[in-house]
Amino acid sequence: MEPSNRTTVSEFILKGFSGYPALERLLFPLCSVMYLVTLLGNTAIVVVSILDARLHTPMYFFLGNLSILDICYTSTFVPLMLVHLLSSRKTISFTGCAVQMCLSLSTGSTECLLLAVMAYDRYLAICQPLRYPVLMSHRLCLMLAGASWMLCLFKSVAETVIAMRLPFCGHHVIRHFTCEILAVLKLTCGDTAVSDAFLLVGAILLLPIPLTLICLSYMLILATILRVPSATGRSKAFSTCSAHLAVVLLFYSTIIFMYMKPKSKEARISDQVFTVLYAVVTPMLNPIIYSLRNKEVKEAARKAWGSRWACR
């Protein structure tokens, strides 16, 4: 590509659903409600985990981290997306696009690692119950959570810097509702080999490897549960990890569906709608799943709610 075709980019246009005004009017109230439920539900999980001393355990420490992640992830793109659904001007600055890309990559990647850490925690709790308090110490919890956040942040910063330093040519219309890195790379006119390599390595490290560790953990957990002599004991053991297993299945099934299905040559509006819904629905369902499947969370929430009304 000739240097004359390169242009200085100050802003991008997020095409989103601009060609479907009726769909925009439908998605705005739907996504607004789901985003509000996401904020309230995940905030409630964090607050309850802090206020109730019975929930000061590794499992709820990691659950609080997961809730914070879901809040951060949806907040990186939903507010701006809601504004664009009602506006004819759908632009984002170059810097804003880079920040949005980095934060989305970081929070999404961290969730992959955190789900694997939570599976390891359940493995120790069920398969090594006597040694669990020693093995999963508070210090180790902080190290595992901190490492997940920091490693994914560094990875995402590197991927974002490499992608945004490439030359952009022609139009600056991103065929997406957010600054998704693959959509942005389609606008570049430079060699994307380095960026592609980083993305490939990141995808391998954050998808199949954590998923393999999760599957291995639950295979060992299942083998341990089946050796429990009483039906009551088996039910109690399984109930401690069923909510996490449901979240893992929801998270990875949507990712596999979106990124492993055959790619069409032209972007279909149905794919974009599904992307919006899974990106908003999954963080919304996480606190609901944990509330429905976990008696301790429900009891702690009722206690916190009762104390609030008693104070009044």
Side-chain angles (χ1 to χ4, degrees):
M1 188 68 66
E2 293 298 325
S4 59
N5 291 332
R6 301 181 182 182
T7 56
T8 302
V9 181
S10 60
E11 65 180 17
F12 293 99
I13 299 174
L14 295 172
K15 185 177 181 180
F17 307 100
S18 56
Y20 304 86
L23 181 59
E24 288 184 323
R25 290 192 294 270
L26 174 64
L27 286 174
F28 179 79
L30 186 62
C31 291
S32 297
V33 171
M34 290 192 293
Y35 180 55
L36 181 61
V37 173
T38 298
L39 293 180
L40 294 177
N42 284 287
T43 301
I45 291 289
V46 174
V47 172
V48 167
S49 299
I50 294 174
L51 294 180
D52 197 310
R54 294 173 300 175
L55 303 185
H56 292 175
T57 63
M59 174 180 173
Y60 295 103
F61 170 76
F62 293 128
L63 177 57
N65 273 264
L66 181 65
S67 294
I68 294 173
L69 266 177
D70 286 336
I71 293 173
C72 294
Y73 174 67
T74 53
S75 297
T76 60
F77 68 92
V78 173
L80 182 62
M81 183 187 72
L82 293 176
V83 172
H84 286 172
L85 288 175
L86 296 180
S87 174
S88 58
R89 181 175 172 81
K90 307 177 190 297
T91 60
I92 183 172
S93 67
F94 182 87
T95 302
C97 184
V99 171
Q100 186 184 70
M101 179 189 298
C102 181
L103 293 180
S104 295
L105 286 170
S106 178
T107 50
S109 301
T110 304
E111 184 153 351
C112 294
L113 292 184
L114 192 60
L115 289 174
V117 170
M118 294 174 75
Y120 176 66
D121 170 69
R122 290 300 83 209
Y123 158 74
L124 291 180
I126 294 174
C127 301
Q128 304 284 340
L130 298 180
R131 301 176 59 199
Y132 176 66
V134 177
L135 294 175
M136 189 55 73
S137 63
H138 182 64
R139 180 182 179 184
L140 181 60
C141 291
L142 292 175
M143 290 177 60
L144 290 173
S148 298
W149 283 86
M150 296 307 298
L151 287 175
C152 291
L153 178 61
F154 290 146
K155 177 195 77 73
S156 301
V157 169
E159 291 173 344
T160 301
V161 170
I162 293 172
M164 300 304 282
R165 286 177 63 87
L166 291 170
F168 292 90
C169 306
H171 67 82
H172 303 142
V173 179
I174 300 175
R175 297 183 179 276
H176 210 281
F177 56 88
T178 183
C179 283
E180 200 265 339
I181 189 168
L182 295 179
V184 173
L185 286 175
K186 291 179 180 179
L187 304 181
T188 64
C189 54
D191 185 4
T192 62
V194 176
S195 184
D196 292 339
F198 263 82
L199 291 175
L200 178 61
V201 172
I204 293 174
L205 293 176
L206 296 174
L207 288 176
I209 292 180
L211 185 57
T212 300
L213 294 176
I214 291 171
C215 292
L216 178 61
S217 297
Y218 275 101
M219 287 173 60
L220 296 173
I221 288 172
L222 181 60
T224 301
I225 291 176
L226 292 177
R227 290 198 298 266
V228 176
S230 67
T232 303
R234 288 194 297 270
S235 176
K236 183 178 180 181
F238 185 74
S239 67
T240 63
C241 58
S242 58
H244 176 256
L245 184 58
V247 169
V248 168
L249 291 174
L250 178 65
F251 180 76
Y252 278 98
S253 62
T254 52
I255 289 180
I256 291 172
F257 177 81
M258 283 305 301
Y259 295 104
M260 300 300 288
K261 64 185 179 65
K263 298 293 183 182
S264 57
K265 294 182 179 180
E266 294 183 1
R268 293 181 296 184
I269 193 66
S270 59
D271 289 343
Q272 293 191 51
V273 172
F274 182 83
T275 303
V276 171
L277 293 180
Y278 100 76
V280 180
V281 169
T282 303
M284 179 189 71
L285 291 180
N286 286 352
I288 297 175
I289 291 172
Y290 274 101
S291 298
L292 292 177
R293 299 292 302 171
N294 196 299
K295 293 181 179 179
E296 291 179 326
V297 172
K298 289 189 286 188
E299 291 176 1
R302 281 196 293 265
K303 180 181 176 181
W305 184 258
S307 301
R308 179 173 177 271
W309 282 104
C311 293
R312 288 190 174 186

